[in-house]
């Protein structure tokens, strides 16, 4: 019991109790509430801003995807156009070749026809000349009938003339 | 004659005990003042209230620093505000970790108590200062406050009738009614005697023995020169650690007492929670 009496001073206990209660009340109002409120508001703001950042990130990702798709589409279109142009070129080349072949064929045919015409013409003139010549040979033979040797000589002359002409 | 003699001898013995008690601790500035001016009334007054004075030092320190930190209210805290926010948030996290989100309303009480006890324990390490918690009167005050706070929480949460029923051991049937006086006595003696006794005695005994440890090592240091200095460093580290642990144990036990007296989870379903507005710092992850 003595130990308790020595170590417990009621006055001290009371003063400590009251002092603590006063300081607790003051701190609760002026320190704990404002500080915890600041912490809470900061946390809320961070959370909301964090959400905003996440949303923007998603939007950016979506935009990027769109952009990528667009790029791909453009590339594909370009490739298709190129392919088309190549096909067109090939087709043109083929057409030109075909045309050239046709043209050469027709010109060849024309030339052939012209040559044939010329040949026919030449043959015609030749025949006329042959006829002419034979008439003329006949005339000369008839004119110089009386002289046999002379006739022979004349015929030879004429033939020589003919040979020369030919 | 005989009577007065006896009185004188007991007084001398008491004085000797007091002297002994005083020499068991390192001197602080009040004991030094007392040593040099033993007759001054003011010094005697200081001496008789030394624990309270040192407590007031700590109270003033906590109040001024934390309030000036709370007044800044900057969005990006720095310096003082940052430190206090760190401390407050850590304490809030710890308390709500045990009590759940509704424990937020008890954070100011428990946090103030923890900081107060911790700084008082550490005050003994500063030369010419003393730990007020090394006196039983101081720790009894804290233990009483904690007990009353816990019981007040119980009354507030359950209502007085249910609280009284709980104290009487929730009597059911004839056996319960027969046992109710016994349960009442047991509960009352536990809640109002054993709890504050254990809280106050633990803190007081630990801190005063820490002070004695420091004193003994200082004594060794004075007797043999440099070798015990290392021991004293070691003792200082130990005291820092144990002071923290003691304050933490006090906080933990107070929190557990509150959690024991608060309504449990399954009770909350039909007892509408009255203070939903005091949402926690930690909102659950969405």
């Amino acid at each position: 019991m003595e130990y308790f009496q020595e170590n417990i001073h009621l006055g001290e206990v009371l003063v400590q109790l009251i002092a603590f209660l006063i300081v607790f009340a003051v701190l609760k109002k002026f320190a704990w509430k404002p500080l915890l409120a600041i912490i809470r508001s900061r946390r809320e703001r961070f959370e909301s801003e964090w959400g905003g950042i996440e949303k923007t990130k998603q939007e950016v990702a979506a935009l990027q995807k769109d952009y990528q798709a667009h790029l791909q589409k453009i590339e594909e279109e370009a490739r298709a156009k190129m392919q088309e142009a190549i096909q067109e070129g090939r087709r043109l080349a083929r057409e030109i070749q075909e045309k050239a072949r046709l043209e050469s064929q027709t010109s060849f045919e024309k030339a052939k026809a012209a040559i044939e015409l010329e040949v026919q013409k030449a043959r015609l003139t030749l025949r006329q000349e042959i006829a002419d010549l034979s008439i003329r040979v006949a005339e000369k033979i008839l004119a110089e009938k009386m002289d046999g040797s002379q006739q022979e000589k004349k015929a030879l002359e004429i033939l020589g003339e003919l040979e020369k002409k030919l | 004659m005989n009577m007065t003699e006896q009185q004188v001898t007991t007084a001398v013995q008491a004085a000797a005990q007091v002297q002994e008690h005083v020499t068991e601790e390192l001197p602080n500035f009040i004991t030094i003042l007392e040593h040099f001016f033993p007759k001054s009334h003011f010094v005697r007054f200081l001496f008789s209230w030394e624990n309270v004075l040192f407590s007031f030092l700590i109270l003033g320190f906590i109040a001024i620093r934390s309030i000036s930190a709370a007044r800044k209210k900057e969005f990006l805290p720095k310096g003082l505000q940052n430190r206090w926010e760190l401390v407050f948030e850590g304490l809030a996290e710890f308390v709500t970790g045990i009590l759940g989100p509704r424990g937020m309303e008890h954070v100011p009480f428990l946090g103030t108590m923890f900081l107060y006890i911790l700084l008082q324990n550490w005050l003994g390490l500063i030369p010419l200062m003393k730990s007020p918690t090394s006196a039983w009167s101081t720790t009894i005050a804290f233990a009483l406050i904690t007990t009353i706070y816990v019981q007040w929480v119980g009354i507030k949460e359950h209502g007085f009738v249910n609280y009284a029923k709980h104290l009487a051991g929730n009597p059911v049937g004839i056996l319960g009614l027969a046992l109710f006086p016994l349960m009442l006595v047991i509960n009352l003696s536990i809640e109002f005697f054993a709890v504050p006794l254990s809280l106050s005695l633990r803190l007081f005994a630990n801190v005063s023995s820490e002070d004695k440890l420091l004193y003994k090592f200082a004594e060794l240091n004075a007797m043999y020169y440099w070798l015990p200095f290392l021991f004293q460093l070691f003792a200082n580290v130990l005291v820092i650690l144990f002071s923290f642990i003691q304050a933490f144990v006090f906080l933990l036990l107070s929190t557990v007492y509150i959690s024991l007296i608060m309504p449990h989870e399954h009770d909350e379903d039909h007892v509408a929670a009255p203070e939903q507005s005091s949402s926690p710092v930690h909102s659950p992850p969405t």
Side-chain angles (χ1 to χ4, degrees), chain B residues 94-260:
Chain B
F94 175 77
V95 171
T96 49
I98 293 178
L99 296 181
R102 287 195 59 213
M104 207 59 203
E105 56 185 304
H106 305 305
V107 168
F109 175 78
L110 294 166
T112 312
M113 191 59 107
F114 171 75
L115 285 176
Y116 188 27
I117 290 173
L118 179 68
L119 291 181
Q120 286 186 93
N121 290 352
W122 278 346
L123 191 66
L125 286 163
I126 302 172
L128 300 184
M129 296 285 173
K130 179 191 187 231
S131 294
T133 38
S134 68
W136 201 5
S137 311
T138 316
T139 58
I140 281 180
F142 303 154
L144 280 179
I145 293 168
T146 306
T147 308
I148 293 164
Y149 185 84
V150 169
Q151 301 310 320
W152 174 71
V153 169
I155 293 173
K156 207 179 75 173
E157 294 284 343
H158 296 281
F160 187 76
V161 177
N162 281 332
Y163 169 76
K165 255 194 213 164
H166 164 74
L167 273 187
N170 291 321
V172 179
I174 295 173
L175 192 67
L177 279 177
L179 283 180
F180 128 78
L182 181 67
M183 293 303 289
L184 191 65
V185 169
I186 290 175
N187 275 328
L188 278 178
S189 56
I190 287 176
E191 303 274 6
F192 291 97
F193 186 70
V195 163
L197 187 73
S198 71
L199 274 180
S200 64
L201 209 51
R202 180 186 304 109
L203 185 59
F204 147 68
N206 274 289
V207 178
S208 62
S209 51
E210 278 165 16
D211 280 6
K212 285 197 178 72
L213 186 75
L214 281 179
Y215 173 74
K216 285 293 171 197
F217 275 107
E219 212 177 40
L220 270 182
N221 205 16
M223 282 179 353
Y224 312 97
Y225 288 105
W226 52 272
L227 182 67
F229 177 69
L230 291 174
F231 290 126
Q232 192 167 13
L233 263 185
F234 174 69
N236 274 353
V237 172
L238 268 189
V239 169
I240 290 172
L241 201 68
F242 287 158
S243 297
F244 180 81
I245 290 173
Q246 282 312 313
F248 185 74
V249 164
F250 200 98
L251 167 72
L252 184 70
L253 286 174
S254 316
T255 316
V256 168
Y257 292 144
I258 291 177
S259 86
L260 285 179

Side-chain angles (χ1 to χ4, degrees), chain B residues 3-130:
Chain B
M3 188 81 162
T4 45
E5 208 170 296
Q6 207 176 357
Q7 275 176 339
V8 167
T9 45
T10 47
V12 166
Q13 273 172 354
Q17 269 180 342
V18 167
Q19 196 65 27
E20 206 176 70
H21 175 72
V22 166
T23 50
E24 282 292 297
E25 283 177 351
L26 287 172
N28 58 58
F29 73 87
I30 291 175
T31 53
I32 289 171
L33 275 180
E34 205 263 34
H35 183 75
F36 286 112
F37 309 101
K39 287 192 178 134
S40 155
H41 279 290
F42 178 65
V43 171
R44 284 222 68 82
F45 172 76
L46 282 185
F47 183 67
S48 59
W49 291 97
E50 60 172 352
N51 291 321
V52 175
L53 278 171
F54 285 115
S55 290
F56 280 10
L57 266 180
I58 295 295
L59 275 184
F61 174 80
I62 294 177
I64 290 168
R65 299 294 276 178
S66 63
I67 290 174
S68 62
R71 284 170 76 108
K72 289 192 175 160
K73 294 187 178 173
E74 276 168 28
F75 180 69
L76 293 175
K78 51 188 175 191
L80 190 69
Q81 192 193 354
N82 203 0
R83 281 198 290 279
W84 280 94
E85 278 190 11
L86 191 74
V87 171
F88 278 28
E89 200 181 4
L91 285 168
E93 224 163 89
F94 175 77
V95 171
T96 49
I98 293 178
L99 296 181
R102 287 195 59 213
M104 207 59 203
E105 56 185 304
H106 305 305
V107 168
F109 175 78
L110 294 166
T112 312
M113 191 59 107
F114 171 75
L115 285 176
Y116 188 27
I117 290 173
L118 179 68
L119 291 181
Q120 286 186 93
N121 290 352
W122 278 346
L123 191 66
L125 286 163
I126 302 172
L128 300 184
M129 296 285 173
K130 179 191 187 231

Side-chain angles (χ1 to χ4, degrees), chain A residues 91-113:
Chain A
R91 197 178 56 78
L92 270 177
R94 240 195 336 266
E95 266 178 21
I96 288 167
Q97 265 179 352
E98 203 71 21
K99 221 162 140 188
R101 210 171 31 238
L102 274 175
E103 265 173 19
S104 67
Q105 195 79 27
T106 49
S107 60
F108 175 70
E109 297 282 325
K110 251 188 217 164
K112 218 170 150 185

